[in-house]
Amino acid sequence: MIDALYEDLAVERAIKDKFGVDVDVRQTIAKVPISHTAHAHVFLTTKKQLYLYINGQSKFLFGDIKKLVQRIGLKAELYVPPKGRPNYFDEVGRAKFHDVFPGRSHVSDEDIIFYRTLAPYNPALILISEVKDGHIYQFDTDASGNWRVAKKFAYRRIRTS
Protein backbone atom coordinates (compact mmCIF):
# COMPACT_ATOMS: atom_id res chain seq x y z
CA MET A 1 0.00 0.00 0.00
CA ILE A 2 2.74 2.47 0.95
CA ASP A 3 4.79 1.46 -2.10
CA ALA A 4 1.79 2.28 -4.30
CA LEU A 5 1.54 5.74 -2.73
CA TYR A 6 5.22 6.40 -3.32
CA GLU A 7 4.87 5.19 -6.89
CA ASP A 8 1.90 7.53 -7.46
CA LEU A 9 3.90 10.44 -6.06
CA ALA A 10 6.85 9.56 -8.29
CA VAL A 11 4.57 9.50 -11.35
CA GLU A 12 3.03 12.86 -10.35
CA ARG A 13 6.49 14.41 -9.92
CA ALA A 14 7.80 12.98 -13.22
CA ILE A 15 4.76 14.32 -15.09
CA LYS A 16 5.18 17.75 -13.49
CA ASP A 17 8.89 17.84 -14.39
CA LYS A 18 8.66 16.53 -17.96
CA PHE A 19 5.28 17.85 -19.12
CA GLY A 20 4.42 20.75 -16.80
CA VAL A 21 0.99 19.26 -16.11
CA ASP A 22 -0.20 19.28 -12.54
CA VAL A 23 -2.07 16.01 -11.98
CA ASP A 24 -3.23 14.40 -8.76
CA VAL A 25 -3.38 10.63 -9.05
CA ARG A 26 -6.59 9.49 -7.38
CA GLN A 27 -6.47 5.85 -8.41
CA THR A 28 -4.01 3.72 -10.32
CA ILE A 29 -6.05 1.52 -12.63
CA ALA A 30 -3.21 -0.60 -13.99
CA LYS A 31 0.55 -0.74 -14.24
CA VAL A 32 1.30 -2.98 -17.19
CA PRO A 33 4.34 -3.95 -19.24
CA ILE A 34 4.14 -2.79 -22.86
CA SER A 35 7.48 -4.17 -24.06
CA HIS A 36 10.47 -5.97 -22.60
CA THR A 37 11.85 -2.69 -21.21
CA ALA A 38 8.87 -0.32 -20.77
CA HIS A 39 5.82 0.03 -18.55
CA ALA A 40 2.58 1.97 -18.76
CA HIS A 41 0.67 3.49 -15.87
CA VAL A 42 -3.06 3.96 -16.41
CA PHE A 43 -4.54 6.21 -13.76
CA LEU A 44 -7.51 8.41 -12.90
CA THR A 45 -7.00 11.94 -11.60
CA THR A 46 -9.09 13.71 -9.00
CA LYS A 47 -10.90 15.42 -11.91
CA LYS A 48 -11.97 11.98 -13.22
CA GLN A 49 -9.65 12.16 -16.24
CA LEU A 50 -7.94 8.99 -17.43
CA TYR A 51 -4.25 9.30 -18.30
CA LEU A 52 -1.68 6.91 -19.67
CA TYR A 53 1.95 7.49 -18.69
CA ILE A 54 4.55 5.46 -20.60
CA ASN A 55 8.14 5.25 -19.44
CA GLY A 56 10.96 2.90 -20.32
CA GLN A 57 14.50 2.39 -21.47
CA SER A 58 13.52 2.06 -25.13
CA LYS A 59 13.78 4.95 -27.55
CA PHE A 60 10.13 5.42 -28.44
CA LEU A 61 9.01 7.61 -31.29
CA PHE A 62 5.64 9.37 -31.48
CA GLY A 63 4.46 6.77 -34.01
CA ASP A 64 5.43 3.93 -31.66
CA ILE A 65 3.46 5.51 -28.83
CA LYS A 66 0.37 5.88 -31.04
CA LYS A 67 0.56 2.20 -31.93
CA LEU A 68 1.07 1.17 -28.30
CA VAL A 69 -1.96 3.17 -27.16
CA GLN A 70 -4.10 1.22 -29.63
CA ARG A 71 -2.61 -2.12 -28.59
CA ILE A 72 -3.25 -1.37 -24.92
CA GLY A 73 -6.89 -0.95 -25.91
CA LEU A 74 -7.26 2.78 -25.37
CA LYS A 75 -8.34 5.71 -27.51
CA ALA A 76 -6.22 8.86 -27.19
CA GLU A 77 -7.70 12.32 -26.96
CA LEU A 78 -4.49 14.34 -26.49
CA TYR A 79 -0.79 13.54 -26.69
CA VAL A 80 0.79 15.95 -24.22
CA PRO A 81 3.98 17.57 -25.61
CA PRO A 82 7.07 18.12 -23.42
CA LYS A 83 7.11 21.04 -21.01
CA GLY A 84 7.58 24.43 -22.63
CA ARG A 85 7.21 23.15 -26.22
CA PRO A 86 3.52 23.20 -27.18
CA ASN A 87 4.33 22.67 -30.89
CA TYR A 88 6.95 19.98 -30.26
CA PHE A 89 5.63 17.40 -32.73
CA ASP A 90 5.27 19.98 -35.52
CA GLU A 91 8.75 21.41 -34.84
CA VAL A 92 10.41 18.00 -35.03
CA GLY A 93 8.28 17.05 -38.05
CA ARG A 94 9.34 20.18 -39.94
CA ALA A 95 13.01 19.62 -39.05
CA LYS A 96 12.88 15.99 -40.25
CA PHE A 97 11.05 17.09 -43.42
CA HIS A 98 13.75 19.70 -44.14
CA ASP A 99 16.44 17.03 -43.63
CA VAL A 100 14.84 14.94 -46.38
CA PHE A 101 13.77 17.81 -48.66
CA PRO A 102 16.22 20.67 -48.02
CA GLY A 103 15.13 22.70 -51.07
CA ARG A 104 11.44 22.99 -50.16
CA SER A 105 10.62 26.41 -48.73
CA HIS A 106 6.85 26.16 -48.24
CA VAL A 107 5.86 23.24 -46.01
CA SER A 108 2.21 22.55 -45.21
CA ASP A 109 0.75 20.57 -42.33
CA GLU A 110 -0.15 17.76 -44.73
CA ASP A 111 3.51 17.47 -45.75
CA ILE A 112 4.71 16.77 -42.22
CA ILE A 113 2.05 14.28 -41.10
CA PHE A 114 4.43 11.34 -41.46
CA TYR A 115 7.49 13.21 -40.17
CA ARG A 116 5.68 14.12 -36.94
CA THR A 117 5.62 10.40 -36.10
CA LEU A 118 9.43 10.40 -36.07
CA ALA A 119 9.65 12.70 -33.03
CA PRO A 120 11.29 11.10 -29.97
CA TYR A 121 8.64 10.68 -27.27
CA ASN A 122 9.82 8.94 -24.11
CA PRO A 123 8.40 9.39 -21.50
CA ALA A 124 4.92 9.90 -22.94
CA LEU A 125 1.74 11.28 -21.39
CA ILE A 126 -1.59 10.73 -23.10
CA LEU A 127 -5.06 11.92 -22.09
CA ILE A 128 -7.43 9.04 -22.80
CA SER A 129 -10.94 9.52 -24.14
CA GLU A 130 -12.14 5.91 -23.80
CA VAL A 131 -11.24 2.30 -23.10
CA LYS A 132 -12.25 0.64 -26.37
CA ASP A 133 -13.78 -2.69 -25.41
CA GLY A 134 -13.69 -2.48 -21.63
CA HIS A 135 -10.29 -4.18 -21.41
CA ILE A 136 -6.78 -2.87 -20.79
CA TYR A 137 -4.17 -5.08 -22.40
CA GLN A 138 -0.56 -5.81 -21.48
CA PHE A 139 2.42 -7.18 -23.37
CA ASP A 140 2.93 -10.91 -22.83
CA THR A 141 5.27 -13.01 -24.96
CA ASP A 142 3.41 -16.21 -24.08
CA ALA A 143 0.01 -14.97 -25.22
CA SER A 144 -1.35 -15.31 -28.72
CA GLY A 145 -0.52 -12.08 -30.54
CA ASN A 146 1.77 -11.04 -27.65
CA TRP A 147 -1.02 -9.14 -25.84
CA ARG A 148 -3.43 -10.33 -23.15
CA VAL A 149 -6.10 -8.75 -20.96
CA ALA A 150 -4.61 -7.20 -17.84
CA LYS A 151 -7.66 -5.47 -16.39
CA LYS A 152 -11.33 -4.94 -17.08
CA PHE A 153 -12.20 -1.27 -16.87
CA ALA A 154 -14.96 0.76 -18.49
CA TYR A 155 -14.36 4.46 -19.22
CA ARG A 156 -15.63 6.95 -21.75
CA ARG A 157 -15.10 10.66 -21.42
CA ILE A 158 -18.19 12.74 -22.16
CA ARG A 159 -17.26 16.15 -23.49
CA THR A 160 -19.07 19.12 -22.00
CA SER A 161 -18.85 22.71 -23.09
Side-chain angles (χ1 to χ4, degrees):
M1 172 97 177
I2 296 206
D3 290 338
L5 289 174
Y6 284 129
E7 191 171 307
D8 290 348
L9 286 173
V11 168
E12 287 177 11
R13 184 169 293 150
I15 290 172
K16 178 80 171 164
D17 291 343
K18 299 284 185 184
F19 300 99
V21 177
D22 204 10
V23 296
D24 293 324
V25 176
R26 190 185 101 201
Q27 177 185 3
T28 298
I29 305 302
K31 181 184 177 202
V32 295
I34 55 171
S35 73
H36 292 289
T37 60
H39 284 81
H41 296 264
V42 181
F43 62 91
L44 276 172
T45 65
T46 53
K47 295 179 182 178
K48 306 272 197 283
Q49 293 176 318
L50 188 67
Y51 278 96
L52 172 66
Y53 177 71
I54 296 175
N55 192 10
Q57 298 171 354
S58 304
K59 293 183 180 180
F60 289 119
L61 301 177
F62 183 48
D64 299 332
I65 296 297
K66 283 181 161 183
K67 196 176 291 186
L68 283 171
V69 169
Q70 290 177 346
R71 290 207 174 134
I72 293 171
L74 306 173
K75 186 175 178 185
E77 180 174 332
L78 173 70
Y79 293 92
V80 181
K83 182 179 180 180
R85 297 180 73 184
N87 299 321
Y88 171 72
F89 302 114
D90 289 336
E91 292 169 5
V92 173
R94 288 185 193 284
K96 300 270 186 191
F97 184 84
H98 282 298
D99 289 346
V100 176
F101 302 105
R104 297 267 310 261
S105 58
H106 178 58
V107 180
S108 68
D109 289 339
E110 289 81 27
D111 292 336
I112 64 167
I113 288 174
F114 168 72
Y115 295 95
R116 288 180 54 168
T117 63
L118 301 178
Y121 196 40
N122 186 18
L125 180 65
I126 302 101
L127 178 63
I128 302 300
S129 63
E130 72 177 273
V131 178
K132 286 184 184 173
D133 62 353
H135 296 106
I136 296 173
Y137 294 88
Q138 75 177 29
F139 178 74
D140 185 4
T141 56
D142 293 335
S144 173
N146 288 337
W147 292 86
R148 69 174 173 88
V149 174
K151 182 107 177 180
K152 290 184 180 184
F153 184 72
Y155 179 86
R156 179 172 289 150
R157 184 164 182 213
I158 300 170
R159 294 187 144 226
T160 58
S161 54

